[in-house]
Amino acid sequence: EVQVVESGGGLVQPGGSLRLSCAASGFIFTNCWLSWVRQAPGKGLEWVANIRQDGSEKYYVDSVKGRFTISRDNAKNSLYLQMNSLRAEDTAVYYCVRDACNSDTSDTGTLDSWGQGTLVTVSS
Amino acid sequence: DIVMTQSPDSLAVSLGERATINCKSSQSVLYSSNNRNYLAWFQQKPGQPPKLLIYWASTRESGVPDRFSGSGSATDFTLTISSLQAEDVAVYYCLQYYHSPRTFGQGTKVEIK
């Protein structure tokens, strides 16, 4: 069974930093891109960033470029999101999501397995 | 970036009736080399993470009831619930995964009339 479990959320002051982690299991980790998606309270879904299987390509939504860094540790089947210079508008539930995979792992090509999310609150 | 626009923002449908949600992309998400539309649909119920319903615009994810169907190509797409059930009350989102940044529609809330 595919599982992704986020951790690391919490309350942080504006301008502060936080590092989110995601532990994955139940699939060949190195076969898949991985994404972070967030959802502000009462709002819609916003894709944040993704990373290629070997970490060689990374993409970000404009609103987090230069502040957030996505990374992965394939030896630990783990995904990370380093968030710096946090703002009130970054307050959201952050989801770790399996993205496109090699066809022998998944043929959906997209965000097919989601964690339960971790809440990040940016407030003084 | 590709902008995804859903309509309507909300709709109320009687049990057993059809619900139709539209999604329009600001540019084509049809990849000519494999003739696939990089468009997915998600369902999100309160307090839960989103769930993938449809990918490649019309392929139903395993375990998704066949009352859910997706159609369309290039820039115009539709999610249809053929006979609305009580458990289908949720917010539905479209997503383009043609390239990064991936972008979602703003969501459509489906309720029972």
Side-chain angles (χ1 to χ4, degrees):
Chain A
E1 180 193 3
V2 174
Q3 273 199 318
V4 290
V5 179
E6 306 90 342
S7 60
L11 175 64
V12 61
Q13 291 189 337
S17 298
L18 209 57
R19 189 195 196 207
L20 304 184
S21 300
C22 171
S25 61
F27 64 99
I28 301 174
F29 190 76
T30 51
N31 278 2
C32 300
W33 287 70
L34 296 162
S35 277
W36 289 99
V37 175
R38 67 184 178 182
Q39 186 169 36
K43 302 298 184 183
L45 301 171
E46 181 180 41
W47 179 88
V48 174
N50 67 355
I51 185 168
R52 191 187 172 99
Q53 288 93 328
D54 61 0
S56 61
E57 291 182 51
K58 304 175 185 181
Y59 299 92
Y60 300 91
V61 68
D62 283 350
S63 59
V64 308
K65 282 180 183 175
R67 301 188 300 122
F68 290 13
T69 302
I70 189 171
S71 62
R72 62 191 293 165
D73 185 336
N74 287 343
K76 295 182 178 179
N77 282 12
S78 293
L79 174 71
Y80 306 100
L81 186 67
Q82 178 66 45
M83 305 185 294
N84 298 330
S85 302
L86 282 161
R87 307 166 180 167
E89 54 265 35
D90 296 318
T91 294
V93 173
Y94 285 73
Y95 295 101
C96 170
V97 194
R98 189 176 77 169
D99 204 323
C101 300
N102 300 349
S103 59
D104 55 347
T105 295
S106 170
D107 63 355
T108 69
T110 189
L111 308 173
D112 63 6
S113 297
W114 296 63
Q116 290 298 310
T118 188
L119 176 62
V120 172
T121 303
V122 184
S123 175
S124 54
Chain B
D1 298 355
I2 299 176
V3 177
M4 307 300 290
T5 304
Q6 290 180 228
S7 61
D9 289 335
S10 64
L11 75 162
V13 176
S14 300
L15 288 172
E17 296 300 305
R18 177 183 301 260
T20 301
I21 301 168
N22 300 301
C23 176
K24 189 173 183 68
S25 59
S26 60
Q27 64 189 72
S28 175
V29 298
L30 173 61
Y31 191 40
S32 56
S33 67
N34 60 12
N35 201 36
R36 281 181 160 176
N37 287 285
Y38 284 62
L39 188 286
W41 289 96
F42 296 83
Q43 175 193 63
Q44 187 178 31
K45 297 180 180 180
Q48 297 184 17
K51 173 188 173 184
L52 177 65
L53 294 178
I54 304 282
Y55 57 95
W56 303 131
S58 61
T59 303
R60 206 176 299 116
E61 173 73 312
S62 175
V64 174
D66 61 7
R67 63 180 180 273
F68 291 93
S69 63
S71 62
S73 185
T75 61
D76 292 279
F77 301 91
T78 300
L79 174 70
T80 301
I81 309 172
S82 61
S83 176
L84 191 75
Q85 303 300 302
E87 61 265 31
D88 301 334
V89 168
V91 179
Y92 294 83
Y93 296 91
C94 62
L95 165 80
Q96 69 78 19
Y97 52 105
Y98 185 78
H99 68 69
S100 297
R102 278 97 162 84
T103 43
F104 289 93
Q106 78 275 21
T108 296
K109 187 174 185 178
V110 174
E111 299 173 309
I112 304 295
K113 185 187 290 183

